[in-house]
Amino acid sequence: MDERSAAKWYVAHTYSGYENKVKANIEATVLSRGMESVIIEVFVPMYEVEETKAGKRTTSMKKIFPGYVLVKMVMTDESWFVVRNTRGVTGFVGPASKPVPLTLEELRHLGIAPPDGSAVEEEIMPVIDLRVGERVLVIEGPFKDLEGFIEELQLDKRKLKVNISIFGRETPVELGFADIEKIS
């Protein structure tokens, strides 16, 4: 059996803000010690956030789990030691710091391919600061400059339904997240 096929995903706890440094340090140690067959991958899960600030749309990457790094590795005394003693790592997630691998369901939820190599569709859910019933201003499209109230949020489609007053009648229209701005 190939040693790499025994690798599982584990979660290491880090100091907040040190996730990328921990990732780089583990990868450097793996290369310098020739441990590529034991510590396969180090991953900091991120997601894309679209925000509108002062009328400008920006896109940035945010950490899904601040303070945590995922490590795909074969659990041996040496691999445990390397990860556990990396500067910025406070321990593994598990009872009494005993590393517990992520389950297949947890891996699927994170969009990580399962051990059998079959693809998992990665679904990045948008993070928005909107709620049903809130008042918004349409900033793009044919309804630009009209105000309305959010009737429904469709996160999976990145759309929402907004009730807008058109010719004195409340009319539901479907808009994209980027087409509206929250009114404070």
Side-chain angles (χ1 to χ4, degrees):
M1 181 167 122
D2 179 20
E3 196 174 53
R4 292 173 68 97
S5 65
K8 296 183 187 297
W9 284 97
Y10 295 89
V11 181
H13 188 263
T14 69
Y15 294 123
S16 188
Y18 279 71
E19 301 86 356
N20 292 327
K21 288 178 188 171
V22 164
K23 177 183 187 299
N25 288 341
I26 292 172
E27 290 172 340
T29 303
V30 166
L31 286 174
S32 69
R33 291 191 180 193
M35 297 178 67
E36 295 90 343
S37 65
V38 182
I39 300 176
I40 315 315
E41 187 177 348
V42 185
F43 180 56
V44 179
M46 307 279 274
Y47 64 96
E48 193 174 280
V49 178
E50 290 181 23
E51 299 174 309
T52 304
K53 291 183 182 177
K56 291 187 177 185
R57 271 181 278 182
T58 61
T59 302
S60 62
M61 297 301 287
K62 304 267 184 186
K63 292 176 185 79
I64 294 175
F65 305 113
Y68 295 93
V69 172
L70 303 179
V71 183
K72 184 176 185 179
M73 61 191 247
V74 177
M75 186 57 69
T76 65
D77 288 343
E78 187 181 12
S79 64
W80 177 89
F81 182 85
V82 165
V83 175
R84 179 62 187 90
N85 290 296
T86 298
R87 174 183 237 116
V89 173
T90 60
F92 281 96
V93 172
S97 290
K98 182 181 184 293
V100 175
L102 292 173
T103 65
L104 191 57
E105 183 64 30
E106 290 166 330
L107 292 173
R108 280 197 180 105
H109 183 71
L110 292 170
I112 298 172
D116 65 5
S118 60
V120 175
E121 186 177 315
E122 187 174 340
E123 186 174 329
I124 299 175
M125 296 303 286
V127 176
I128 56 166
D129 184 26
L130 297 170
R131 304 282 179 263
V132 172
E134 285 186 319
R135 202 169 88 172
V136 294
L137 172 68
V138 181
I139 58 172
E140 294 288 331
F143 303 107
K144 185 176 179 173
D145 298 327
L146 294 177
E147 293 181 12
F149 290 91
I150 298 173
E151 182 179 292
E152 180 183 332
L153 291 168
Q154 301 170 359
L155 295 177
D156 55 333
K157 296 180 182 176
R158 293 180 169 247
K159 295 188 180 283
L160 64 160
K161 283 189 182 172
V162 177
N163 268 337
I164 296 178
S165 180
I166 301 174
F167 305 120
R169 295 179 61 182
E170 289 293 313
T171 307
V173 295
E174 190 173 271
L175 302 167
F177 289 160
D179 298 334
I180 57 101
E181 189 174 86
K182 185 176 173 179
I183 298 175
S184 304

